[in-house]
């Protein structure tokens, strides 16, 4: 699946995936990791389940200045 903030580490040639398939992604340029797990998992409904794991680099900088540690989100 296509994400606006990341792309798959390995090229995807398939369009159908089995339940439980896990794909690894990496952040696009301009984005930084916000979560340690950068994977998507296909669930039994055929939907991809994931936590947003990349945020805009500039948003990250804003939060770093606006909310110094330990208040980072």
């Amino acid at each position: 699946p296509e994400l606006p903030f990341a792309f798959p580490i390995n090229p995807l040639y398939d369009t159908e995936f089995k339940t439980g398939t896990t794909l690894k992604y990496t952040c696009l340029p301009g984005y930084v990791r916000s979560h340690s797990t950068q994977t998507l998992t296909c669930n039994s409904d055929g939907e991809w389940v994931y936590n947003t794991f990349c945020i805009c680099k500039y948003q990250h900088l804003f939060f770093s200045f606006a909310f110094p540690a330990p208040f980072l989100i």
Side-chain angles (χ1 to χ4, degrees), residues 51-67:
N51 291 318
T52 301
F53 47 82
C54 299
I55 60 171
C56 179
K57 185 182 296 187
Y58 304 106
Q59 179 182 357
H60 173 72
L61 291 175
F62 168 76
F63 281 112
S64 295
F65 290 114
F67 305 100

Side-chain angles (χ1 to χ4, degrees), residues 20-56:
T21 298
T22 299
L23 302 175
K24 294 182 180 184
Y25 277 62
T26 190
C27 299
L28 287 168
Y31 290 84
V32 293
R33 287 174 40 176
S34 62
H35 196 273
S36 61
T37 304
Q38 295 178 271
T39 60
L40 284 70
T41 303
C42 184
N43 71 14
S44 60
D45 294 328
E47 298 174 347
W48 291 99
V49 179
Y50 63 94
N51 291 318
T52 301
F53 47 82
C54 299
I55 60 171
C56 179

